Amino acid sequence: MNADEPTPVDVDRTARFERVTRETRISGLIDLESVDGTNRISTGVGMLDHMLDAFATHGRFRLDLQAEGDLHVDDHHVVEDTAIVLAALLREVLGDRSGIERFGWSMIPLDEALSRVSVDLVSRPSASIELGLTRPMIGDLAAENAVHFLETFALSTPFTLHVKVIEGRNDHHRIESAFKSLAIAMRSAWRPASSSTS
């Protein structure tokens, strides 16, 4: 192989992972090559399910994720551990991260809301998350845990993530535009590299 050619990405980019703690039991499957739209997501937190389905659908990958946890306490442990499981799946499926574009960014609207996301799939953990949510809860998801999910996902994978909701009056629209923007940015970053980079 020519030294200037990118390292090919394994065409079978699938992974499975299960995490069991005192508070949660979560199993997941990711397939970056599947775009059949058959995501099966059930965390017990409806708004989180909605965001994860949007992430997978617009990221054009398959995600199966089943979670049980101490939702009688609150949503914190389920949200946090779901992010850790998603990070473990992505970490496994990306391997040494050679042969991918590495960088991705997007700016995605949802009605009056607009979000900007930039990612670098280098193995350095960093997260800057500005959702600007005004309600304490969006459905059954605590606003603070929406931020915590994105931070935990980036720091656990690890990769560099910048999320900023630029405008929007409706908190549901703000968070959904952020997750959809994340999907497009990640899709760009993990696709096979078209040329070598220095």
Side-chain angles (χ1 to χ4, degrees), residues 87-160:
L89 290 168
L90 188 60
R91 187 168 60 246
E92 182 177 339
V93 82
L94 291 180
D96 66 4
R97 309 188 192 191
S98 62
I100 61 173
E101 288 290 351
R102 176 179 155 180
F103 299 103
W105 74 275
S106 69
M107 188 176 292
I108 300 298
L110 180 65
D111 296 344
E112 87 295 346
L114 180 66
S115 295
R116 182 185 67 224
V117 173
S118 298
V119 303
D120 178 2
L121 293 185
V122 68
S123 297
R124 288 195 299 271
S126 182
S128 174
I129 314 297
E130 297 180 42
L131 301 181
L133 302 174
T134 59
R135 285 190 283 154
M137 300 289 295
I138 302 91
D140 52 356
L141 175 64
E144 64 182 4
N145 287 333
V147 174
H148 186 52
F149 177 90
L150 293 169
E151 289 175 338
T152 302
F153 177 44
L155 300 180
S156 300
T157 302
F159 67 98
T160 296

Side-chain angles (χ1 to χ4, degrees), residues 20-177:
V20 180
T21 70
R22 290 176 56 187
E23 296 84 14
T24 65
R25 176 186 294 271
I26 305 174
S27 60
L29 174 147
I30 193 170
D31 182 351
L32 293 190
E33 303 303 323
S34 176
V35 292
D36 61 7
T38 59
N39 305 311
R40 292 190 294 271
I41 301 167
S42 178
T43 66
V45 182
M47 188 63 181
L48 181 60
D49 293 353
H50 180 38
M51 293 304 99
L52 291 172
D53 185 63
F55 178 44
T57 298
H58 294 279
R60 295 186 184 164
F61 64 93
R62 176 184 168 192
L63 179 64
D64 292 349
L65 206 149
Q66 307 297 314
E68 298 176 359
D70 58 354
L71 292 175
H72 63 283
V73 177
D74 67 9
D75 61 323
H76 179 85
H77 290 133
V78 168
V79 171
E80 181 179 67
D81 288 0
T82 296
I84 291 170
V85 168
L86 184 60
L89 290 168
L90 188 60
R91 187 168 60 246
E92 182 177 339
V93 82
L94 291 180
D96 66 4
R97 309 188 192 191
S98 62
I100 61 173
E101 288 290 351
R102 176 179 155 180
F103 299 103
W105 74 275
S106 69
M107 188 176 292
I108 300 298
L110 180 65
D111 296 344
E112 87 295 346
L114 180 66
S115 295
R116 182 185 67 224
V117 173
S118 298
V119 303
D120 178 2
L121 293 185
V122 68
S123 297
R124 288 195 299 271
S126 182
S128 174
I129 314 297
E130 297 180 42
L131 301 181
L133 302 174
T134 59
R135 285 190 283 154
M137 300 289 295
I138 302 91
D140 52 356
L141 175 64
E144 64 182 4
N145 287 333
V147 174
H148 186 52
F149 177 90
L150 293 169
E151 289 175 338
T152 302
F153 177 44
L155 300 180
S156 300
T157 302
F159 67 98
T160 296
L161 172 64
H162 289 260
V163 179
K164 184 174 180 63
V165 179
I166 299 169
E167 56 185 279
R169 298 179 303 277
N170 182 290
D171 277 352
H172 186 127
H173 292 171
R174 292 177 72 91
I175 188 175
E176 188 168 347
S177 71

